């Protein structure tokens, strides 16, 4: 007799979309309130005849949604990714380049978390997602101190030890040093779905961004698919967008996949297995006390929320193709509860308006990605689809704060379309400091509320892009 509470979730990024990556004990994650919901297309047809009785209905596509909660926490180490990384990437996030900018003497009211900083008259820009002391402790939401470190998610350009300006605070400082931060676990949205290919040398010629490459079996010459070059690090290391693949997968052995350039003659083979780099799909294994249900090609959506005094939790929802269930024992795991999640207690939570940062009393915060995930239908696949696609998103923060009247006029900001910055930093120990930062928000709602007899404001902040190229509206990080 299976017990409802005895459930386990394993999750692992796939190599080939829709093909199981066989998660094991090392891919387990501590989750709460897991649920699994199958969806079966029953194609009802009513044949004409002498009676009202019905015949069997054909069964069509079957999909499965796996939902669960997990804590917003770090890994406990600057060298180890947080357990939410794999899930966040599968909803359409990618790693940011995070720089540590050590300040010299500061002029002005101080650099702020959530503001954009720039060098070289704005040709180099980035978002401050955190501020650390020289001893790597959180330094709050603002700093005027020489030696403090700005953690900057780079938008464009390369930061150097040079004059740095806060675009909101108008503070200035000449950085004494700039380096990659020890932990590169900062994430921002991506609109791309890319795969990294590493190859042997080309037989001749070169390839360029935008080229469409044929994929063939090197032995038989059979056409397997096509990809388009997106990012060209080198001629033998580049990212591609998959245009199509036969049955959604690559040949099992990397070197049997041959790429052919647009000129029809230059060729090379893969020297390593393809790796999904942007918006990867997941294999999810859900075990309910001895019954294993596997979901492949999964991508999803999330909300991240918490109340003052408690931890923040992700609510994930992933949809993918089904694999027939089997009986199997749960795997043995260790260490899932080692790291305690930081709480919205002694946290740094604030809102930037104009030049100032306001650390308003915060009751509750919720980040909703509002992602749209649709199956990639394919009649060639036994399940009728090859994974899924993230086709849209509309990230927004919903916050409950004390009403402070003209001290922070939310209603005026709503009416005028005034830009508001938002930053939330939880935790004190390096490796378990987590943050949410939205540099440019538009107030979409501001309604009076009540919090145990205290007047509050219920505010919705829609995160907006910085550059026209976008993919820079929200940042989630572990320091």
């Amino acid at each position: 007799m299976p017990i409802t509470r005895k459930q386990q979730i394993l999750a692992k990024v796939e190599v080939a979309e829709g093909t199981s990556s066989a998660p094991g004990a090392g891919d387990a994650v501590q989750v709460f309130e897991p649920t699994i919901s199958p969806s079966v297309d029953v194609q009802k047809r009513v044949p004409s005849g002498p009676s009202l009785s019905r015949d069997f209905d054909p069964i069509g596509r079957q999909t499965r949604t796996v939902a669960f909660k997990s804590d917003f926490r770090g890994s406990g180490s600057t060298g180890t990714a947080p357990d939410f990384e794999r899930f966040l990437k599968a909803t359409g996030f990618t790693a940011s380049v995070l720089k540590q900018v050590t300040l010299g003497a500061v002029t002005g009211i101080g650099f702020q978390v959530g503001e954009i900083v720039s060098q070289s008259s704005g040709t180099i820009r980035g978002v401050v997602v955190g501020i650390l002391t020289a001893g790597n402790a959180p330094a709050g939401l603002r700093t005027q101190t020489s030696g403090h470190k700005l953690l900057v998610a780079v938008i464009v350009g390369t930061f150097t030890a040079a004059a740095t300006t806060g675009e909101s605070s108008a503070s200035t400082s000449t950085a004494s040093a700039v380096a990659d931060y020890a932990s590169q676990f900062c994430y921002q949205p991506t609109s791309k779905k890319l795969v990294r290919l590493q190859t042997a040398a080309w037989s001749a010629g070169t390839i360029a961004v935008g080229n469409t490459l044929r994929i063939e079996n090197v032995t038989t010459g059979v056409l397997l698919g096509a990809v388009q070059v997106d990012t060209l690090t080198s001629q033998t290391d580049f990212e591609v967008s998959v245009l199509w693949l036969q049955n959604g997968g690559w040949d099992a052995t990397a070197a049997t996949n041959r790429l052919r350039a647009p000129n029809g003659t230059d060729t090379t083979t893969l020297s390593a297995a393809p790796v999904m780099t942007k918006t990867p799909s997941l294999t999810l294994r859900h075990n309910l006390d001895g019954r294993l249900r596997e979901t492949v090609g999964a991508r999803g959506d999330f909300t991240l929320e918490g109340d003052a005094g408690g931890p923040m939790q992700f609510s994930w929802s992933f949809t993918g193709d089904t694999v027939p269930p089997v009986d199997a024992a749960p795997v043995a795991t260790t260490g899932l509860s080692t790291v305690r999640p930081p709480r919205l207690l002694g946290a740094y939570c604030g809102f930037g308006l104009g030049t100032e940062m306001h650390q308003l009393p915060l009751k509750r915060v919720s980040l909703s990605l509002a992602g749209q995930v649709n199956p990639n239908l394919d009649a060639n696949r036994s399940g009728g689809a090859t994974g899924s696609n993230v086709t849209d998103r509309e990230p927004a923060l919903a916050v409950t704060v004390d009403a402070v009247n003209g001290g922070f006029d939310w209603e005026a900001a709503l009416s005028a379309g005034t830009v508001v910055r938002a930053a939330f930093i939880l935790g004190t120990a390096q490796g378990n400091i987590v943050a949410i930062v939205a540099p440019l928000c538009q107030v979409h709602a501001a309604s009076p509320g009540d919090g145990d007899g205290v007047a509050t404001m219920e505010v919705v902040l829609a995160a907006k892009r910085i550059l026209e190229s976008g993919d820079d509206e929200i940042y989630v990080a572990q320091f």
Side-chain angles (χ1 to χ4, degrees), residues 406-428:
F408 196 114
D409 196 335
W410 292 105
E411 292 156 307
L414 170 62
S415 298
T418 305
V419 171
V420 175
R421 308 178 299 279
F424 311 90
I425 298 177
L426 294 72
T428 58

Side-chain angles (χ1 to χ4, degrees), residues 109-298:
I109 63 175
F111 292 92
Q112 303 167 14
V113 177
E115 79 169 325
I116 299 168
V117 292
S118 60
Q119 295 181 345
S120 299
S121 301
T123 58
I124 302 167
R125 302 177 79 199
V127 176
V128 179
V129 297
I131 303 173
L132 298 180
T133 66
N136 295 317
L141 297 175
R142 181 204 305 268
T143 184
Q144 296 174 295
T145 304
S146 176
H148 278 185
K149 306 168 187 176
L150 304 182
L151 302 185
V152 178
V154 177
I155 301 172
V156 63
T158 302
F159 278 81
T160 60
T164 306
T165 301
E167 294 187 8
S168 298
S169 67
S171 299
T172 60
S173 176
T174 298
S176 61
V178 173
D180 289 341
Y181 182 58
S183 167
Q184 288 293 310
F185 305 125
C186 179
Y187 310 94
Q188 64 189 86
T190 180
S191 301
K192 296 182 177 182
K193 179 179 169 182
L194 299 181
V195 175
R196 180 189 181 194
L197 300 183
Q198 295 172 280
T199 69
W202 289 86
S203 57
T206 59
I207 58 172
V209 171
N211 282 174
T212 296
L213 313 178
R214 288 166 53 100
I215 309 167
E216 305 165 346
N217 180 284
V218 70
T219 304
T220 64
V222 170
L223 181 64
L224 302 175
V227 297
Q228 187 169 20
V229 180
D230 181 273
T231 306
L232 195 63
T233 303
S234 73
Q235 291 292 305
T236 57
D237 189 349
F238 47 93
E239 289 180 310
V240 299
S241 173
V242 175
L243 300 177
W244 71 276
L245 282 175
Q246 182 173 293
N247 291 323
W250 303 82
D251 267 1
T253 304
T256 61
N257 293 276
R258 179 171 64 197
L259 302 182
R260 187 175 295 276
N263 62 14
T265 56
D266 297 340
T267 62
T268 189
T269 58
L270 298 189
S271 59
V275 177
M276 294 190 192
T277 53
K278 289 185 171 61
T279 319
S281 59
L282 296 176
T283 294
L284 295 168
R285 284 186 172 175
H286 173 273
N287 194 301
L288 173 54
D289 201 8
R291 187 65 166 172
L292 177 63
R293 296 174 175 88
E294 186 171 81
T295 304
V296 296

Side-chain angles (χ1 to χ4, degrees), residues 12-23 281-285 294-297 323 381:
K12 188 176 181 179
V13 172
E14 295 174 341
V15 173
E17 184 172 359
T19 300
S20 176
S21 54
S281 59
L282 296 176
T283 294
L284 295 168
R285 284 186 172 175
E294 186 171 81
T295 304
V296 296
V323 174
R381 292 275 290 182

Side-chain angles (χ1 to χ4, degrees), residues 309-333:
M312 296 187 71
Q313 282 195 320
F314 289 97
S315 294
W316 305 101
S317 177
F318 288 95
T319 301
D321 300 334
T322 63
V323 174
V326 295
D327 290 341
V331 300
T333 62

